[in-house]
Amino acid sequence: MFGGEYVQGTIFPAPNFNPVMDAQMLGGALQGFDCNKDMLIDILTQRSNAQRQMIAGAYQSMYGRDLITDLKEQLSSHFKEVMVGLMYPPPSYDAHELWHAMKGAGTDENCLIEILASRTNGEIFQMREAYCLRKKIHKHGTREEGYADPAMAAQDAVVLWEACQQKTGEHKTMLQMILCNKSYPQLWLVFQEFQNISGQDLVNAINDCYDGYFQELLVAIVRCVQDKATYFAYKLHRAIHDFGFHNKTVIRILIARSEIDLMTIRKRYKERFGKSLFHDIKNFASGHYEKALLAICAGDVEDY
């Protein structure tokens, strides 16, 4: 991850962009009993998030209505979740997903772990601002940003090693402090030092020492530091194959990573699992829902 590899998304700003024309086309597509879903896909999956916000503004000015509200009223099921999800600014989308994960009787820990382990400090700050979630997520700490310090990395590696040996409440807190607060480049060095002093991979050490959601969160953080695209490829494969196509997870990852590293995630997915993400989505999804997911994936015929 810190070897300088260039990561790439699948959605880019559209050239010759005209938000007023797009808003007009969307207004036409959402009229009547049977809305034009192909038009919605063609416009919303082929514009960047910043462009979609401009379209929403033009739509509001033109029709005096909120585009997200109209999408919610006109669409249904998973297709609605995709189209509406595309319209949220990224921090609002994360906050929305966290809020849904935490509301009601059962908490969706997988969603919480995935978002909180993989987002940068800046992304978590904006997410907290978006839905005033300070009370719910401030306890996960603030991750440092910036340069790596080899001397500090060696010290932290020793602390991690002791924490995995001792397993006391105090050691658990120290382990959490390091993994949740240190910058990604710093953690990269810490993990290498840990390997040197212990002769063991940190994920294996964590799995040996801890269990439950604490263990899953720590492992997710380590995986994200090692290679975030591989982490998301693995999450997608599990969501598709182990959970009988877990729609919420697939939708969330595709939308959230579309402008960051989804093309790289697709590459990792094919390398790790043999079949392409495009192929697996085609196998499990159908109709306009399938078409929307594939458009976000920017899948090619040869991917099948």
Side-chain angles (χ1 to χ4, degrees):
M1 182 177 175
F2 294 102
E5 189 203 8
Y6 173 66
V7 295
Q8 190 181 4
T10 54
I11 293 179
F12 304 93
N16 310 315
F17 171 60
N18 184 336
V20 174
M21 189 181 290
D22 282 349
Q24 212 166 355
M25 304 271 276
L26 288 174
L30 288 166
Q31 295 304 310
F33 292 111
D34 193 22
C35 66
N36 187 341
K37 295 184 177 118
D38 290 318
M39 178 75 73
L40 297 181
I41 294 169
D42 290 345
I43 293 175
L44 297 183
T45 67
Q46 303 306 310
R47 307 289 183 269
S48 68
N49 191 276
Q51 289 177 331
R52 287 182 216 123
Q53 303 316 310
M54 293 167 71
I55 294 169
Y59 188 93
Q60 179 78 49
S61 301
M62 197 177 292
Y63 299 105
R65 294 198 308 271
D66 178 59
L67 179 53
I68 287 183
T69 303
D70 282 1
L71 288 168
K72 284 179 176 175
E73 285 177 0
Q74 291 287 343
L75 307 176
S76 62
S77 193
H78 301 308
F79 181 67
K80 174 172 80 172
E81 289 174 46
V82 177
M83 293 295 109
V84 170
L86 286 169
M87 289 308 305
Y88 286 114
S92 298
Y93 185 61
D94 277 348
H96 172 266
E97 289 294 293
L98 282 179
W99 183 76
H100 275 283
M102 290 185 277
K103 76 169 192 171
T107 303
D108 180 357
E109 280 86 359
N110 282 320
C111 173
L112 298 183
I113 289 168
E114 175 201 306
I115 291 176
L116 295 174
S118 66
R119 303 307 191 252
T120 64
N121 198 36
E123 287 166 342
I124 286 181
F125 178 78
Q126 288 182 307
M127 185 200 315
R128 287 199 308 207
E129 295 292 298
Y131 275 1
C132 304
L133 280 167
R134 291 178 188 279
K135 287 186 180 145
K136 295 210 174 186
I137 62 176
H138 81 276
K139 65 181 179 187
H140 290 277
T142 302
R143 191 177 294 288
E144 297 167 0
E145 303 284 6
Y147 299 102
D149 177 345
M152 181 57 77
Q155 288 176 37
D156 287 342
V158 172
V159 173
L160 284 184
W161 175 238
E162 286 175 354
C164 285
Q165 300 303 302
Q166 309 289 336
K167 294 184 269 193
T168 66
E170 188 186 348
H171 282 95
K172 202 172 179 180
T173 304
M174 287 157 68
L175 185 67
Q176 195 170 354
M177 285 289 289
I178 292 171
L179 293 183
C180 293
N181 293 355
K182 299 290 183 181
S183 70
Y184 275 19
Q186 182 67 19
L187 285 175
W188 180 257
L189 277 185
V190 172
F191 297 166
Q192 289 179 316
E193 286 291 335
F194 184 90
Q195 182 95 40
N196 291 341
I197 61 172
S198 71
Q200 192 179 16
D201 177 64
L202 182 55
V203 169
N204 293 336
I206 291 169
N207 287 338
D208 287 347
C209 302
Y210 298 101
D211 55 25
Y213 293 117
F214 182 69
Q215 171 248 337
E216 286 182 33
L217 175 63
L218 297 183
V219 168
I221 293 168
V222 175
R223 293 286 187 222
C224 284
V225 172
Q226 289 171 333
D227 186 343
K228 205 173 280 189
T230 297
Y231 169 73
F232 280 114
Y234 166 75
K235 287 282 294 181
L236 279 168
H237 192 264
R238 281 199 73 195
I240 292 169
H241 293 278
D242 295 357
F243 296 106
F245 207 86
H246 193 267
N247 295 283
K248 277 195 103 48
T249 302
V250 174
I251 293 168
R252 181 176 60 249
I253 295 175
L254 293 193
I255 290 177
R257 309 311 295 181
S258 60
E259 292 182 51
I260 302 171
D261 53 5
L262 185 54
M263 189 64 82
T264 312
I265 292 167
R266 277 180 45 193
K267 190 175 146 196
R268 295 282 191 281
Y269 192 99
K270 183 84 179 272
E271 288 167 1
R272 295 288 183 289
F273 306 113
K275 293 269 173 57
S276 72
L277 181 58
F278 186 82
H279 169 276
D280 283 352
I281 289 171
K282 269 190 93 61
N283 247 11
F284 286 93
S286 61
H288 285 95
Y289 173 46
E290 173 202 331
K291 190 173 178 184
L293 293 180
L294 294 179
I296 296 169
C297 261
D300 308 308
V301 175
E302 60 265 24
D303 279 338
Y304 187 68

